[in-house]
Amino acid sequence: MQIHGQAALVTGGGSGLGEAVARALAAAGARVSVLDRNAEGAQRVADAIGGRAFTCDIADTASLQQALDGASAAHGTARIVMNIAGIGTAKRVIGKDGQPAPLEDFERVVRINLIGTYNVVRLAAAAMARLEPLAGGERGMVLMTASVAAYDGQVGQEAYSASKGGLVSMTLPLARDLAQHGIRVVTIAPGLFETPLMKTLPDAVQQSLAASIPFPPRLGQPEEFAALALHAVTNGHLNGETIRLDGALRMAPR
């Protein structure tokens, strides 16, 4: 599927990897709607790329549906859906005080990362399925963002790894389910990237993390993630697959 002229949604588009994807889509000629809980960030990116900004919580159906309706009214039904929104956390099962981790923390991460992403997919795909097919029968594609933590999560990453592992496991059945509608599903599992969250860490910590990557021994650039995301759109035979983007990184236990 060609990107130029298509309507696109980017959740988590107000910063980091989502911002890079939104900018790349706009540069390729897409009409981009930026969805984010951070209204200021979403508006900043939308203004920069000539897109539209919508504030929403992807785990809240009413909030999300309102944003999707607004995006559709502005740009038409999206054929390109980029799920980048998510949160990270680390908390040991048993704390230093000997107490079990709060269940609410686990539920929150899974609700946003896994259930929230599924919420976007189910609502956006239902609208996409009503579109006229393009050449070859394709109606659109959906991208999800997992993490290398889905495969080698570190100490304290039970909730994060579970949520991202759920996305990896969901990729193939979603692709099979949506195949009858001409909708492809691809997931990217990024490693360590230079995002605003990463930049909050001390320089020494960032350098140590970068040195743990075999090659190239540096943090990934958001633009590299965006380049793969756009390739997933244009490569019509890429479907039902999760791609690690990590410089051959395999994370240690801690």
Side-chain angles (χ1 to χ4, degrees):
M1 178 173 59
Q2 296 302 309
I3 295 173
H4 185 81
Q6 303 296 352
L9 302 171
V10 182
T11 71
S15 65
L17 299 181
E19 176 176 352
V21 170
R23 288 178 177 274
L25 284 169
R31 305 187 303 275
V32 182
S33 292
V34 181
L35 280 59
D36 205 296
R37 293 184 66 179
N38 182 339
E40 182 178 347
Q43 193 62 59
R44 175 183 60 82
V45 174
D47 288 345
I49 64 175
R52 294 290 299 273
F54 300 93
T55 306
C56 73
D57 177 353
I58 61 171
D60 180 84
T61 298
S63 170
L64 174 60
Q65 188 63 67
Q66 184 176 24
L68 294 178
D69 290 344
S72 180
H75 293 149
T77 301
R79 291 189 187 270
I80 301 170
V81 177
M82 298 285 183
N83 291 285
I84 319 293
I87 62 172
T89 186
K91 185 160 292 189
R92 289 175 180 261
V93 179
I94 303 173
K96 292 181 179 180
D97 58 1
Q99 296 301 308
L103 183 60
E104 294 78 12
D105 288 352
F106 189 95
E107 290 177 329
R108 177 171 176 266
V109 175
V110 171
R111 179 163 181 78
I112 294 173
N113 291 356
L114 180 57
I115 297 176
T117 297
Y118 178 77
N119 205 23
V120 176
V121 173
R122 73 183 187 93
L123 296 177
M128 194 184 298
R130 293 190 288 269
L131 294 172
E132 287 298 315
L134 302 171
E138 185 173 20
R139 286 188 170 85
M141 73 85 58
V142 173
L143 182 128
M144 302 190 295
T145 305
S147 166
V148 295
Y151 305 96
D152 34 71
Q154 296 182 299
V155 167
Q157 284 191 324
E158 287 82 4
Y160 186 69
S161 293
S163 68
K164 296 301 188 177
L167 295 178
V168 172
S169 296
M170 193 165 63
T171 301
L172 182 58
L174 273 177
R176 288 171 164 172
D177 195 342
L178 295 174
Q180 62 182 314
H181 303 290
I183 299 172
R184 294 183 294 113
V185 181
V186 176
T187 296
I188 299 176
L192 300 174
F193 273 72
E194 190 175 294
T195 62
L197 179 62
M198 181 67 73
K199 290 178 181 178
T200 64
L201 299 176
D203 288 341
V205 175
Q206 294 185 49
Q207 292 171 12
S208 175
L209 291 172
S212 70
I213 301 172
F215 190 82
R218 60 167 174 78
L219 298 175
Q221 298 299 304
E223 293 76 16
E224 292 172 314
F225 179 93
L228 182 55
L230 266 63
H231 177 75
V233 177
T234 58
N235 189 331
H237 205 59
L238 188 55
N239 192 18
E241 186 59 86
T242 298
I243 306 168
R244 288 183 67 133
L245 185 64
D246 58 18
L249 171 70
R250 296 299 181 269
M251 294 195 295
R254 56 174 59 82

